[in-house]
Amino acid sequence: MATTGTHRHGCRAGALGAALLAATLTACGGASPPDAAASHSPVALANKDAVAAAQPIPRGTGATPPAGTPDFNGDGAPDLVLDDLAHDDGGDDPGIGIVYGKKKHGLVPAARQLLSPAKYAAPTKGQTPAAFGSEAACDLNADGFSDLVVSTDPPYDGQGMPPVPLQLLFGSPKGIAGQGVKLRIPAQARFGNDWPDQPVCGDFDGDGKDDLVVHASGGRLTYLPGPFTRAGASRGTPRVAQSSGNVPAVAADVNADGADDVLVRAHNGTARSAVVLGGPTGPGRPGAAYPAGTDAAFGDFGTAVLTPSGLKVYAGQGAAARTVRVDGSALDTGDLDGDGRTDLVVSGDGTDIRLVGGGTRPVAGSPGTGRVVAVADFDGDGRDDVVLQRTSDASPGKDSVVVLPGSATSTLLAAAPQLTFSTTQFTPR
């Protein structure tokens, strides 16, 4: 059920026309101090099979992180969520890994936490979920600590409405703490017999609190206004919202009215998409429609849709498209050079990653291949960094997580990684 995430893109963003921020579990930076490559020396675990001694998770007091960037311990430093942890083929999925950040320093791989389903998932009828994957992160109970929405696989006999597969893990001064609770969706807020999944965070009613929209069926969404209780229930009145599709993908305030809007895709894969506008009562009004594509993203450039014929960039609602010749199947956004404009990271399975400055300028060259895990300003230098996870068929059960710092140059990213580590540290052999 990923994607993001996918569980990527679950975030709240600012208004188009200023510097609209968007992405899935990503954030855009601000002004540009000296280059990160000059002020931060690369750090690497020389033996990726060795497990660095774990460090305590830094304690926080609560913070408001940049939109779309998780900060589970509320210390003001972004944290990293890793779903695909390296493990032996045929073994059980170990769970979700969290690498905690240090303010004005960056990620600290030794400050880590493994969210195993055995310890953190709420069981159903005594059965622990086999699937346990991150979907979205935001401060659902408005306490200053980011919370994690995860997908599970509760037992279902195929009759009637399936159970809700989503659970909430709450942040705290010491990070994610306590067992997850099941997200409560009342019957009046559901439509059809599809699984209620694909959650996206956003402030869809403009009250300053994080809400959730969730997949329903038949051209409808489930809207759950925040804040939420520690028991997993919305404190507002959940309802069914009209939509032009079933799969919510990414949120941002595209019309600058103070309420987030949500881009909804007709289905997974290559599909048409359209904006559902938010407002005082939440999402429900139709917005601009876009052609079939594999992914889409918002930014201060407008809306970008990755289609089979190239990247289509729409400067505004209903504007004509500009085509940028790049190939890929997934989009992420961030301000890589710190100029206040949204850049695009285009990736795909086995293809070279491409960068598009300001959403319209293809950057020569590529940082290589890999799966984009996150785009966020982890080191606090005002420029977003790109985190890639790389695997090799020649070394199954091993991987490399690489943090490439943003750069105030035409390349947008520094050539040398700031940090390299392996997720095998979460699952020692």
Side-chain angles (χ1 to χ4, degrees):
M1 295 183 185
T3 156
T4 323
T6 70
H7 46 272
R8 299 178 307 111
H9 302 320
C11 72
R12 179 157 51 95
L16 292 174
L20 186 151
L21 310 179
T24 164
L25 300 180
T26 61
C28 299
S32 175
D35 193 344
S39 58
H40 297 80
S41 300
V43 178
L45 304 183
N47 180 1
K48 295 187 179 68
D49 293 325
V51 178
Q55 296 180 7
I57 296 169
R59 291 186 66 89
T61 58
T64 302
T69 303
D71 180 10
F72 301 112
N73 57 339
D75 65 348
D79 305 320
L80 177 67
V81 180
L82 295 163
D83 263 301
D84 297 322
L85 303 181
H87 62 287
D88 295 329
D89 288 344
D92 291 337
D93 183 351
I96 303 165
I98 307 241
V99 176
Y100 287 87
K102 182 179 179 181
K103 201 167 184 179
K104 296 184 179 180
H105 171 82
L107 295 170
V108 182
R112 61 182 181 263
Q113 184 178 20
L114 175 62
L115 307 179
S116 67
K119 182 176 180 179
Y120 287 92
T124 299
K125 298 179 180 179
Q127 179 176 320
T128 299
F132 201 61
S134 71
E135 292 287 343
C138 52
D139 185 4
L140 291 172
N141 59 345
D143 65 351
F145 302 92
S146 296
D147 311 307
L148 188 65
V149 186
V150 299
S151 222
T152 66
D153 58 344
Y156 174 52
D157 61 8
Q159 303 299 312
M161 284 186 175
V164 177
L166 302 174
Q167 297 187 13
L168 308 181
L169 298 176
F170 292 102
S172 76
K174 57 183 179 180
I176 296 293
Q179 193 175 57
V181 299
K182 297 176 183 179
L183 178 65
R184 298 185 180 183
I185 304 180
Q188 69 268 20
R190 297 187 61 175
F191 187 88
N193 290 336
D194 287 354
W195 287 92
D197 54 12
Q198 307 286 343
V200 171
C201 294
D203 179 11
F204 302 107
D205 54 12
D207 68 350
K209 308 297 183 184
D210 284 317
D211 314 313
L212 285 176
V213 292
V214 177
H215 165 80
S217 62
R220 291 167 176 82
L221 300 173
T222 291
Y223 165 56
L224 303 169
F228 289 74
T229 70
R230 299 283 299 196
S234 166
R235 291 186 185 274
T237 303
R239 65 174 176 83
V240 173
Q242 291 293 323
S243 172
S244 55
N246 297 326
V247 184
V250 59
D253 183 5
V254 299
N255 57 358
D257 66 350
D260 282 342
D261 314 299
V262 60
L263 186 78
V264 180
R265 308 183 73 234
H267 50 76
N268 288 315
T270 302
R272 291 182 177 274
S273 58
V275 174
V276 178
L277 298 172
T281 60
R285 294 179 294 125
Y290 298 103
T294 56
D295 205 355
F298 294 130
D300 56 1
F301 48 74
T303 304
V305 181
L306 199 52
T307 73
S309 60
L311 182 69
K312 304 288 186 182
V313 181
Y314 300 82
Q317 296 278 292
R322 172 178 176 176
T323 300
V324 180
R325 299 297 178 185
V326 291
D327 295 325
S329 58
L331 291 175
D332 288 271
T333 61
D335 182 4
L336 304 180
D337 57 0
D339 67 352
R341 300 175 60 197
T342 310
D343 307 307
L344 283 167
V345 182
V346 184
S347 60
D349 189 14
T351 62
D352 284 344
I353 293 166
R354 295 294 306 278
L355 307 177
V356 183
T360 58
R361 177 182 63 85
V363 174
S366 166
T369 60
R371 188 172 64 86
V372 178
V373 178
V375 183
D377 182 10
F378 291 103
D379 56 16
D381 68 351
R383 296 184 292 272
D384 286 337
D385 315 308
V386 176
V387 183
L388 304 177
Q389 186 176 25
R390 292 169 172 158
T391 58
S392 170
D393 292 338
S395 301
K398 298 180 181 180
D399 70 349
S400 177
V401 178
V402 178
V403 181
L404 296 173
S407 173
T409 65
S410 61
T411 62
L412 300 185
L413 288 177
Q418 184 183 84
L419 176 70
T420 301
F421 64 94
S422 173
T423 66
T424 55
Q425 64 181 307
F426 288 98
T427 55
R429 315 305 166 90

